[in-house]
mmCIF file of all heavy atoms in Angstrom:
data_model
loop_
_atom_site.group_PDB
_atom_site.id
_atom_site.type_symbol
_atom_site.label_atom_id
_atom_site.label_comp_id
_atom_site.label_asym_id
_atom_site.label_seq_id
_atom_site.Cartn_x
_atom_site.Cartn_y
_atom_site.Cartn_z
ATOM 1 N N PRO A 32 -7.596 20.217 13.272
ATOM 2 C CA PRO A 32 -6.378 19.204 13.323
ATOM 3 C C PRO A 32 -6.071 18.776 11.830
ATOM 4 O O PRO A 32 -6.822 19.019 10.991
ATOM 5 C CB PRO A 32 -7.013 17.986 14.065
ATOM 6 C CG PRO A 32 -8.437 18.230 13.975
ATOM 7 C CD PRO A 32 -8.729 19.634 13.828
ATOM 8 N N ALA A 116 0.412 40.898 4.726
ATOM 9 C CA ALA A 116 0.624 41.692 6.007
ATOM 10 C C ALA A 116 0.701 40.686 7.182
ATOM 11 O O ALA A 116 1.690 40.897 7.998
ATOM 12 C CB ALA A 116 -0.654 42.574 6.292
ATOM 13 N N ASP A 143 3.333 32.126 -22.476
ATOM 14 C CA ASP A 143 2.899 30.806 -23.119
ATOM 15 C C ASP A 143 1.432 30.750 -23.388
ATOM 16 O O ASP A 143 0.757 31.851 -23.397
ATOM 17 C CB ASP A 143 3.332 29.665 -22.240
ATOM 18 C CG ASP A 143 2.735 29.710 -20.897
ATOM 19 O OD1 ASP A 143 1.992 30.646 -20.611
ATOM 20 O OD2 ASP A 143 3.170 28.979 -19.974
ATOM 21 N N GLU A 236 -9.430 28.178 -15.901
ATOM 22 C CA GLU A 236 -10.724 28.806 -15.821
ATOM 23 C C GLU A 236 -10.758 29.447 -14.413
ATOM 24 O O GLU A 236 -10.274 29.004 -13.587
ATOM 25 C CB GLU A 236 -11.704 27.582 -15.874
ATOM 26 C CG GLU A 236 -13.064 27.731 -15.172
ATOM 27 C CD GLU A 236 -13.616 26.414 -15.177
ATOM 28 O OE1 GLU A 236 -14.381 25.932 -16.150
ATOM 29 O OE2 GLU A 236 -13.551 25.660 -14.217
ATOM 30 N N LYS A 339 24.006 -2.293 9.419
ATOM 31 C CA LYS A 339 23.007 -2.867 10.312
ATOM 32 C C LYS A 339 22.386 -4.025 9.519
ATOM 33 O O LYS A 339 21.532 -3.686 8.544
ATOM 34 C CB LYS A 339 22.127 -1.778 10.693
ATOM 35 C CG LYS A 339 21.466 -1.836 12.054
ATOM 36 C CD LYS A 339 22.367 -2.196 13.200
ATOM 37 C CE LYS A 339 21.524 -2.595 14.320
ATOM 38 N NZ LYS A 339 22.227 -3.103 15.454
ATOM 39 N N PRO A 360 -1.914 12.560 18.345
ATOM 40 C CA PRO A 360 -2.174 11.495 19.235
ATOM 41 C C PRO A 360 -2.207 10.138 18.509
ATOM 42 O O PRO A 360 -2.016 9.054 19.141
ATOM 43 C CB PRO A 360 -3.456 11.832 19.831
ATOM 44 C CG PRO A 360 -3.957 13.033 19.218
ATOM 45 C CD PRO A 360 -2.988 13.676 18.303
ATOM 46 N N GLU A 370 5.223 -0.403 15.418
ATOM 47 C CA GLU A 370 6.424 -1.005 15.681
ATOM 48 C C GLU A 370 6.443 -2.480 15.094
ATOM 49 O O GLU A 370 7.356 -2.902 14.420
ATOM 50 C CB GLU A 370 6.703 -1.247 17.175
ATOM 51 C CG GLU A 370 7.231 0.162 17.793
ATOM 52 C CD GLU A 370 7.249 0.012 19.376
ATOM 53 O OE1 GLU A 370 6.587 -0.822 19.997
ATOM 54 O OE2 GLU A 370 7.987 0.847 19.909
ATOM 55 N N LEU A 548 -24.360 5.581 -22.714
ATOM 56 C CA LEU A 548 -25.000 6.883 -22.304
ATOM 57 C C LEU A 548 -26.477 6.815 -22.640
ATOM 58 O O LEU A 548 -26.820 6.427 -23.725
ATOM 59 C CB LEU A 548 -24.235 7.991 -23.215
ATOM 60 C CG LEU A 548 -24.284 9.348 -22.613
ATOM 61 C CD1 LEU A 548 -23.636 9.434 -21.320
ATOM 62 C CD2 LEU A 548 -23.453 10.246 -23.542
ATOM 63 N N HIS A 564 -28.977 -6.706 -4.167
ATOM 64 C CA HIS A 564 -27.604 -6.412 -3.974
ATOM 65 C C HIS A 564 -27.420 -5.570 -2.762
ATOM 66 O O HIS A 564 -26.524 -5.688 -1.870
ATOM 67 C CB HIS A 564 -27.196 -5.489 -5.215
ATOM 68 C CG HIS A 564 -25.739 -5.238 -5.263
ATOM 69 N ND1 HIS A 564 -25.219 -4.052 -4.803
ATOM 70 C CD2 HIS A 564 -24.731 -5.881 -5.814
ATOM 71 C CE1 HIS A 564 -23.853 -4.024 -4.970
ATOM 72 N NE2 HIS A 564 -23.549 -5.120 -5.578
ATOM 73 N N LEU A 577 -21.263 -5.574 14.322
ATOM 74 C CA LEU A 577 -21.485 -6.398 15.445
ATOM 75 C C LEU A 577 -20.140 -7.270 15.708
ATOM 76 O O LEU A 577 -19.787 -7.538 16.862
ATOM 77 C CB LEU A 577 -22.647 -7.531 15.257
ATOM 78 C CG LEU A 577 -24.000 -6.753 15.133
ATOM 79 C CD1 LEU A 577 -25.172 -7.876 14.782
ATOM 80 C CD2 LEU A 577 -24.426 -6.035 16.364
ATOM 81 N N LYS A 644 -20.171 15.310 20.245
ATOM 82 C CA LYS A 644 -21.320 14.684 20.949
ATOM 83 C C LYS A 644 -21.406 13.175 20.789
ATOM 84 O O LYS A 644 -21.519 12.355 21.602
ATOM 85 C CB LYS A 644 -22.696 15.324 20.523
ATOM 86 C CG LYS A 644 -23.846 14.923 21.270
ATOM 87 C CD LYS A 644 -25.084 15.822 21.222
ATOM 88 C CE LYS A 644 -26.247 15.335 22.011
ATOM 89 N NZ LYS A 644 -27.126 14.543 21.030
ATOM 90 N N VAL A 691 -15.965 -17.849 8.267
ATOM 91 C CA VAL A 691 -15.399 -18.938 7.330
ATOM 92 C C VAL A 691 -13.946 -19.030 7.377
ATOM 93 O O VAL A 691 -13.349 -19.946 7.043
ATOM 94 C CB VAL A 691 -15.907 -18.782 5.954
ATOM 95 C CG1 VAL A 691 -17.504 -19.226 5.857
ATOM 96 C CG2 VAL A 691 -15.782 -17.450 5.389
ATOM 97 N N ARG A 702 -7.193 -11.176 9.995
ATOM 98 C CA ARG A 702 -8.280 -10.989 9.032
ATOM 99 C C ARG A 702 -9.450 -12.032 9.292
ATOM 100 O O ARG A 702 -8.969 -13.184 9.403
ATOM 101 C CB ARG A 702 -7.901 -11.031 7.588
ATOM 102 C CG ARG A 702 -9.051 -11.199 6.698
ATOM 103 C CD ARG A 702 -8.527 -11.048 5.141
ATOM 104 N NE ARG A 702 -8.052 -9.689 5.007
ATOM 105 C CZ ARG A 702 -7.439 -9.293 3.848
ATOM 106 N NH1 ARG A 702 -7.344 -10.225 2.909
ATOM 107 N NH2 ARG A 702 -7.021 -8.066 3.747
ATOM 108 N N ALA A 782 21.778 -56.966 -15.588
ATOM 109 C CA ALA A 782 20.903 -55.876 -16.065
ATOM 110 C C ALA A 782 19.652 -56.622 -16.375
ATOM 111 O O ALA A 782 19.487 -57.597 -17.124
ATOM 112 C CB ALA A 782 21.476 -55.326 -17.395
ATOM 113 N N TYR A 823 23.140 -49.502 -9.220
ATOM 114 C CA TYR A 823 23.876 -49.843 -8.057
ATOM 115 C C TYR A 823 25.313 -50.290 -8.331
ATOM 116 O O TYR A 823 25.505 -51.223 -9.146
ATOM 117 C CB TYR A 823 23.181 -50.851 -7.148
ATOM 118 C CG TYR A 823 23.919 -51.075 -5.926
ATOM 119 C CD1 TYR A 823 23.554 -50.278 -4.675
ATOM 120 C CD2 TYR A 823 24.927 -52.033 -5.790
ATOM 121 C CE1 TYR A 823 24.180 -50.502 -3.550
ATOM 122 C CE2 TYR A 823 25.586 -52.192 -4.619
ATOM 123 C CZ TYR A 823 25.192 -51.350 -3.393
ATOM 124 O OH TYR A 823 25.871 -51.565 -2.342
ATOM 125 N N ILE A 868 13.206 -49.288 -21.990
ATOM 126 C CA ILE A 868 13.918 -49.966 -20.888
ATOM 127 C C ILE A 868 14.905 -51.037 -21.387
ATOM 128 O O ILE A 868 16.102 -51.121 -20.987
ATOM 129 C CB ILE A 868 12.962 -50.576 -19.927
ATOM 130 C CG1 ILE A 868 12.189 -49.405 -19.137
ATOM 131 C CG2 ILE A 868 13.623 -51.426 -18.878
ATOM 132 C CD1 ILE A 868 11.218 -49.879 -18.169
#
Side-chain angles (χ1 to χ4, degrees):
D143 55 7
E236 147 192 280
K339 214 42 200 175
E370 285 171 337
L548 204 55
H564 184 270
L577 298 178
K644 186 158 177 264
V691 289
R702 167 172 296 174
Y823 180 92
I868 293 179

